[in-house]
Structures are given as structure tokens and as C-alpha cells.
Amino acid sequence: MAFCLTEEQAMIQTMARDFAREVVLPGAAQRDRDKIFPRDILSQMGELGFMGMMVPETYGGAAVDMVSYVLALTEIAYGCASTAVVMSVHNSICCEAFLHFGAEEQKQQWLPAMCSGQCIGAFALTEPHAGSDPASQRTIAVADGDEWVLNGSKQFITTGKNAGLVIVTALTDRSKRHRGISAFIVPQGTPGMVVGKEEDKLGLRASDTVQLAFEDCRIPLDNMLGKPGEGFKIAMTCLDSGRIGIAAQSIGVAQACLDESIAYMHEREAFGHPLSDFQGLRWKVADMAVEIEAARLLALSAASLKDLGKRYGQEASMAKLYASEMVNRVTGQAIQIHGGYGYCAEYPMERHYRDARVFTIYEGTSEIQRLVISNNILGPSMMR
Ligand code: COS
């Protein structure tokens, strides 16, 4: 890798790599098959500091930079993409939301349990009719005495069933559109927050994706995260960080495919030669390696801009767009290299192929990333 890592960053990468290959990878196929949430692994990740990576030590976090986070998340995704998406939403969306918008008491109350991996975070922005356009959401929150009362429904919520807390966006002032959306902390088990249908997905089957219904769900007034009307800004800010996470996840899965393809090409013979002798396949490997490296550099570059305190939204979208489309090409090529075996669940390529498919969809589709990037370059389009 051309990107120069500090000693600490390299150490974190090695620690995550060892953990991913020794602990996360071995049960990944079975967890995928049986839809088993990786709770025990996430607890171990909490102990290793992977569940509050960018959180200051005062709140129980590991206090490392975004580059280290990208390196660690890539390694976890190499072992299991389902585990990686839980880690990604938890760290780069939920912990970030607390860090940048939470009141001091909220940070003290929630972050230590989140960093230990005991309380996993979920983020509920998307609604059944509002995916790419979250400003059109309809969930409402009305103040009643010393409580907020939430009503509405959320869709496709990663970890919605297994999370210890959910950050929920809701309208507090309908007349202000996106500026009337606020964010709330809703602990799991709060009466009125009902975990609904769990989606039966193509991939990432060990991570739960659920509908959440809010039926007169009452939470204390103090559970508003940020200021009234800041919910959309919180979502957009944290999604920038989350998108770097999805890029890292894509890179991990793609690297796993490349490594498995290389091993297979050395071992499998055709026409009296190992597959690694055939130029058609050698060139596939070259293209896969180039694309993975390009994605890695885009992700690390976006992460280092964030670490420097610079604007990084466009670069995050570029990394997410390129890496998520790249991994869909790479998983396809890895199946092609493995031939019929690649198509069967006995080999991990089949799982990687299914897992990768959602990467161009969640946390902003490829079309939304292109919109963000082109708006940055050209200014907003007049066509609304
Ligand atoms: N960081 C902080 N604030 C941002 C921001 C960012 N990256 N992007 C936009 N905003 C703010 C703008 O500054 C603006 O605020 P003000 O009106 O107070 O000035 C506000 O958000 C609205 O901006 P804009 O008019 O550009 O928003 P749009 O409604 O046109 O939507 C897109 C912008 C399409 C980019 C946004 O809706 C989006 O990202 N959609 C995809 C959602 C998504 O990823 N969903 C997956 C959820 S998984 S949790």
C-alpha cells in the first residue's frame, strides 16, 4: 500500500487483521446461513477498542484517528461483512452523532456502554416512502409535559432489533421541512418503539435490518440529540463519515475475494497448468488489484482529510461510490475465476457477491453519491 501509515496505524491494522482472521472469519459462513447476529464478536471488539474507535478515552473510547478506523473496519469486513456493517453504523454514524452533537451528560451516559460494545447503536432516518429524500420524512415528535411523544415508522434500520439505543429523526416543526427535523435517543425496550418485520435479505444476513414503528413512544425531553431542528444536519454530517465506512467495508470484501482468487489460481489446474499461468486470468487479477488499491487510497484520503479537520463530504462520496461499485465488479470476477465452485455456497465468493450488492444502495445510493459530487463541482442543479 502506497499510503504511509504511522506506527500506531500499522499496529491497529495488524491487530484488526489478526482478530478478523482468527475470530471473525471462521464462523462467518454459518452466521450468514443461519442469520446469527455476531453479539459475542461485537463484545470482544468492544474490549479491543473497535466499538468506540474515534471516541475520546474519557468516555471509554480508543481515541484513534479516522485512518486507523478505516484500516480496522477493512480488516473486519475481510472476515465478515455483516459484522462490519454493525461496526460501521455504530462507530461512524452513532458514536459520531453523540460526539459532535450530544450534550455532555448524554456523552457521559451513553458513550461508555457504546464503546464497550454492550450498547450497540442504530440510526433510524429512512422511512417506507423516504429513502434517498429523507427531508420528506413523516415521523413526528410532539412535546407533552416533560416528554417527547414519537409517532411514525422507519424502514431498513440496520441493527434495529439488536441495538441498545436507536437515534431516531422526527419532525418537530412540519412547516420548516428539513430544518424542522430533530434527532432523539430512544433506548431499546422503550414502550411504543416496536420492532417490526425483519427483512429477509440477499446478503449481510447476520446483521438484522428491521422496520421500527413508533406508537405514542414517550421519551424524556432530555433525549433530544442536538438542538431542535438539527436532525437533518446530524444525519448528513454523520452520513459523510458513514460513507467512508462503507468504502472500507467494500475494500475488505474485495480484498478477501482477491486473496481467495489468487490462492485458487495457484492450486487449480486446467489443461495441465495452474490457472495462475493463464494470461486471461492474470489480467483479471491485475485489474482487481488496481481497483482495490484505488478504492483504498480514496478512502484513506477522505479519512485523512477528516482527521485534518477539513471538509471531506465530496471525498467521502467519491470513496463510497467508487469502492462500492468496485467491489461489485471484483466479486463478479472472483466468481468467474472460481468457475462453478464460485457459484456455490461451499466457497465464500457466493457470500461476498451477495453481501456486496447492497453497498451501492445503503448510506446513499450510487446515484445520490453522484448527485453530491456533481453538486460540489457544478453547484446545485436548478431542477428540483
Ligand atoms: N453535512 C452537513 N450538512 C449538510 C450536508 C452535509 N454533508 N449536506 C447537506 N447539508 C445541509 C445543507 O447545508 C442544508 O442545510 P440548510 O438548509 O440549513 O442550509 C440542508 O442539509 C439541506 O441541503 P440540501 O438542500 O442539499 O438537501 P437535499 O434535501 O437536496 O438532499 C441529499 C441532499 C440528496 C444529498 C441528501 O438528502 C442525501 O444524502 N440523501 C441520501 C440519504 C441517505 O444516504 N440515506 C441512507 C440512510 S442510511 S442511515
Side-chain angles (χ1 to χ4, degrees):
M1 180 171 55
F3 201 86
C4 264
L5 302 182
T6 64
E7 212 172 294
E8 190 194 18
Q9 289 163 347
M11 196 192 75
I12 291 165
Q13 183 184 41
T14 305
M15 187 170 87
R17 182 169 295 167
D18 293 346
F19 179 75
R21 296 185 193 194
E22 285 160 24
V23 179
V24 182
L25 177 61
Q30 194 198 343
R31 289 195 300 274
D32 168 73
R33 196 171 50 241
D34 301 336
K35 291 183 163 181
I36 300 169
F37 186 74
R39 186 166 297 283
D40 175 50
I41 290 176
L42 290 160
S43 297
Q44 292 182 59
M45 284 166 57
E47 283 164 26
L48 291 172
F50 293 143
M51 297 304 278
M53 289 198 74
M54 281 118 14
V55 176
E57 285 169 4
T58 29
Y59 306 116
V64 300
D65 57 12
M66 187 77 180
V67 165
S68 302
Y69 168 65
V70 165
L71 296 168
L73 184 54
T74 300
E75 296 302 331
I76 300 298
Y78 185 103
C80 172
S82 293
T83 306
V85 73
V86 180
M87 174 181 173
S88 181
V89 171
H90 174 86
N91 274 279
S92 43
I93 298 193
C94 295
C95 290
E96 289 274 297
F98 273 92
L99 274 184
H100 298 300
F101 297 94
E104 184 53 37
E105 307 79 63
Q106 291 172 335
K107 293 181 196 173
Q108 285 178 15
Q109 184 182 351
W110 295 104
L111 282 173
M114 291 174 80
C115 295
S116 73
Q118 297 313 307
C119 176
I120 298 168
F123 194 80
L125 172 72
T126 299
E127 300 194 353
H129 61 279
S132 288
D133 179 17
S136 68
Q137 70 159 70
R138 293 179 194 157
T139 297
I140 55 164
V142 178
D144 180 28
D146 54 3
E147 291 174 321
W148 288 105
V149 186
L150 272 60
N151 277 287
S153 56
K154 297 288 178 178
Q155 180 81 5
F156 302 135
I157 306 308
T158 302
T159 329
K161 188 174 77 173
N162 286 292
L165 70 85
V166 186
I167 298 175
V168 181
T169 58
L171 284 165
T172 43
D173 186 343
R174 205 187 286 272
S175 67
K176 292 187 179 158
R177 209 174 132 82
H178 69 270
R179 290 184 193 151
I181 296 172
S182 304
F184 300 90
I185 306 159
V186 185
Q188 193 66 268
T190 303
M193 181 169 77
V194 182
V195 177
K197 183 174 83 136
E198 182 168 353
E199 303 298 341
D200 190 11
K201 297 172 297 179
L202 177 69
L204 299 185
R205 291 172 64 82
S207 119
D208 61 285
T209 303
V210 298
Q211 293 179 344
L212 289 177
F214 294 87
E215 297 162 358
D216 288 329
C217 174
R218 289 179 170 271
I219 50 168
L221 284 183
D222 287 349
N223 279 28
M224 179 181 275
L225 187 69
K227 299 193 188 79
E230 249 186 356
F232 193 79
K233 186 174 162 200
I234 293 175
M236 291 300 113
T237 305
C238 296
L239 275 170
D240 282 345
S241 176
R243 286 166 184 165
I244 301 180
I246 303 306
Q249 187 189 20
S250 305
I251 296 158
V253 171
Q255 187 67 51
C257 282
L258 177 59
D259 289 356
E260 281 147 13
S261 297
I262 293 167
Y264 186 75
M265 283 171 60
H266 284 312
E267 161 203 313
R268 171 85 175 175
E269 289 194 356
F271 307 102
H273 291 272
L275 296 187
S276 56
D277 279 350
F278 292 90
Q279 189 181 48
L281 300 186
R282 294 174 73 87
W283 285 17
K284 279 194 200 308
V285 165
D287 288 342
M288 289 158 84
V290 171
E291 290 205 58
I292 294 170
E293 190 66 2
R296 200 188 309 275
L297 293 175
L298 280 175
L300 290 172
S301 161
S304 54
L305 281 177
K306 180 170 187 284
D307 287 335
L308 291 168
K310 301 203 167 157
R311 287 172 65 98
Y312 67 95
Q314 179 183 331
E315 289 75 10
S317 284
M318 285 178 168
K320 200 268 181 186
L321 171 65
Y322 184 79
S324 63
E325 298 202 338
M326 171 281 290
V327 69
N328 276 279
R329 290 190 291 274
V330 166
T331 50
Q333 291 293 34
I335 288 191
Q336 195 65 24
I337 289 170
H338 282 76
Y341 292 109
Y343 191 64
C344 299
E346 202 180 324
Y347 279 76
M349 254 52 61
E350 180 262 358
R351 171 168 53 88
H352 296 321
Y353 187 78
R354 287 186 288 103
D355 284 345
R357 187 60 194 88
V358 76
F359 299 171
T360 61
I361 298 172
Y362 65 14
E363 296 204 17
T365 59
S366 283
E367 291 71 24
I368 287 295
Q369 307 313 326
R370 289 187 166 92
L371 183 146
V372 170
I373 297 162
S374 59
N375 280 354
N376 270 280
I377 296 170
L378 295 165
S381 164
M382 288 301 122
M383 254 179 58
R384 300 292 287 183

